Amino acid sequence: MVDEATKSTLAKIPLLKTKAGPRDGDLWIPRLKEEYQALIQYVQNNKESDNDWFRLESNKEGTRWFGKCWYIHELLKYEFDVEFDIPVTYPTTSPEIALPELDGKTAKMYRGGKICLTDHFKPLWARNVPRFGIAHAMALGLGPWLAVEIPDLIQRGVVTHKGSDQAKS
């Protein structure tokens, strides 16, 4: 089900150990530290392989995440806001990643711009609780979604490059 390139990417992202979410009080602190360490390693790996494609930051509590993600298509960079909240049942439940500006532009999206990860990603997440975290959600969820959906949206004219004269607002 997972190709060799994805397996290689995953092998380089540290697995998490602490099974805790935001409602677990002091246990959330070491989990959040593991999340940051995995994200830092994943971003570093991406930069080393010339595949840098997102920036994330969180609120102080680590419960709300936001940033930018981008996709390069035919040498043009398409950039989008990305956001998600950590679910109260995390890490049993994966985060629902949203690209608000694409809300309603593709069938593979829920209200609020939440990307559809039901068929492929959520079962994989469920089998890997608590080892998967935010970095894994980006690598196995948002990354593949962008790779499939953005070229299609561009081809259909739903998304246009912001630098072009006919860019949609």
Side-chain angles (χ1 to χ4, degrees):
M1 183 175 175
V2 178
D3 64 21
E4 289 305 315
T6 304
K7 284 181 184 178
S8 173
T9 298
L10 279 177
K12 296 175 187 170
I13 301 173
L15 296 174
L16 289 74
K17 297 177 180 95
T18 307
K19 186 174 183 179
R23 294 193 316 178
D24 293 320
D26 289 343
L27 286 175
W28 176 238
I29 296 167
R31 172 65 185 214
L32 191 56
K33 183 177 178 182
E34 290 174 27
E35 294 281 2
Y36 274 114
Q37 289 170 335
L39 268 170
I40 290 166
Q41 184 63 55
Y42 181 46
V43 168
Q44 184 177 335
N45 295 346
N46 286 343
K47 286 182 179 183
E48 288 170 2
S49 63
D50 196 26
N51 187 29
D52 191 29
W53 62 276
F54 72 91
R55 290 285 173 276
L56 277 180
E57 58 184 287
S58 75
N59 63 1
K60 183 181 165 198
E61 298 79 21
T63 56
R64 176 120 181 94
W65 292 77
F66 47 92
K68 297 278 185 188
C69 65
W70 52 91
Y71 186 82
I72 309 294
H73 182 73
E74 296 181 0
L75 302 178
L76 296 174
K77 182 178 181 179
Y78 296 82
E79 189 172 271
F80 309 96
D81 290 331
V82 60
E83 62 186 39
F84 57 90
D85 293 322
I86 298 296
V88 293
T89 54
Y90 190 81
T92 304
T93 304
S94 65
E96 292 183 317
I97 302 169
L99 305 175
E101 64 201 274
L102 295 180
D103 187 19
K105 295 186 177 184
T106 172
K108 295 182 181 168
M109 186 169 271
Y110 302 113
R111 188 178 318 199
K114 293 177 180 172
I115 65 171
C116 177
L117 297 173
T118 317
D119 293 340
H120 305 289
F121 176 68
K122 288 191 178 183
L124 187 60
W125 181 279
R127 287 192 304 272
N128 286 282
V129 170
R131 297 180 304 266
F132 277 8
I134 295 165
H136 300 88
M138 298 300 281
L140 294 170
L142 183 58
W145 189 94
L146 289 170
V148 169
E149 289 300 306
I150 299 305
D152 179 62
L153 292 171
I154 293 166
Q155 182 181 24
R156 293 189 292 127
V158 175
V159 170
T160 57
H161 188 260
K162 287 183 172 63
S164 69
D165 292 333
Q166 68 266 33
K168 295 178 184 177
S169 48

